[in-house]
């Protein structure tokens, strides 16, 4: 079960992901750029490099946002028949903004949940009993 409760003065999960707050101290230090994590928290020193978010969010969000934008573009095309240049003007910036915005939130959410649940990289059981 995922622990999403506010513990030890830590920020709640969703606000922390939306605003890029450190999962440990709550300061706005999670990102150094639009979607790149900072190396460490400038306030409490939490090392963000030890968390492995990976490229999973990018792949899923590109597919999800692409599907939604395609559905919207088809609805607009079938109802209003705009010229092709208008489609390009509408959907390209919307797609880029939606992918980048949702990528920032989803990466932050995954890192925060890894921190909260103390997730670590998996290891193989070699069968020995200790």
């Amino acid at each position: 079960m995922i622990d999403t409760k506010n513990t030890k003065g830590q920020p709640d999960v969703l606000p922390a992901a939306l605003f890029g707050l450190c999962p440990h101290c709550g300061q706005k230090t999670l990102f150094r750029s639009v979607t790149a994590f900072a190396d460490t928290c400038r306030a409490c020193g939490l090392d963000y490099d030890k968390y492995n978010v990976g490229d999973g969010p990018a792949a899923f969000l590109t597919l999800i946002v692409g599907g939604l934008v395609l559905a919207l573009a088809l609805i607009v095309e079938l109802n209003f028949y705009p010229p092709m240049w208008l489609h390009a003007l509408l959907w390209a910036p919307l797609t880029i903004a939606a992918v980048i915005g949702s990528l920032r939130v989803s990466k932050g959410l995954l890192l925060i949940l890894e921190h909260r649940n103390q997730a670590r990289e998996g290891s193989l059981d070699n069968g020995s009993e200790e």
Side-chain angles (χ1 to χ4, degrees):
M1 184 164 177
I2 296 174
D3 177 22
T4 59
K5 292 190 173 105
N6 187 350
T7 58
K8 303 177 199 162
Q10 297 169 339
D12 289 330
V13 174
L14 289 178
L18 285 172
F19 300 114
L21 306 179
C22 173
H24 187 71
C25 69
Q27 296 299 309
K28 197 172 184 177
T29 61
L30 190 59
F31 293 97
R32 73 170 178 258
S33 67
V34 177
T35 60
F37 290 122
D39 295 328
T40 59
C41 176
R42 294 182 302 276
C44 70
L46 178 65
D47 182 15
Y48 299 138
D49 285 337
K50 70 180 179 181
Y51 300 105
N52 183 16
V53 174
D55 292 332
F60 283 112
L61 289 172
T62 300
L63 292 172
I64 292 167
V65 169
L68 291 173
V69 170
L70 176 64
L72 288 172
L74 288 173
I75 290 169
V76 168
E77 175 63 30
L78 295 174
N79 288 317
F80 304 108
Y81 306 106
M84 200 54 78
W85 64 267
L86 187 57
H87 276 296
L89 190 65
L90 283 173
W91 307 119
L94 178 67
T95 303
I96 292 168
V99 167
I100 290 174
S102 59
L103 183 61
R104 180 179 169 96
V105 172
S106 66
K107 284 178 70 174
L109 183 66
L110 286 175
L111 187 140
I112 291 162
L113 289 174
E114 278 187 42
H115 177 75
R116 287 273 167 92
N117 296 303
Q118 299 176 353
R120 300 290 175 254
E121 196 165 321
S123 62
L124 296 175
D125 183 7
N126 62 6
S128 66
E129 303 262 337
E130 291 186 44

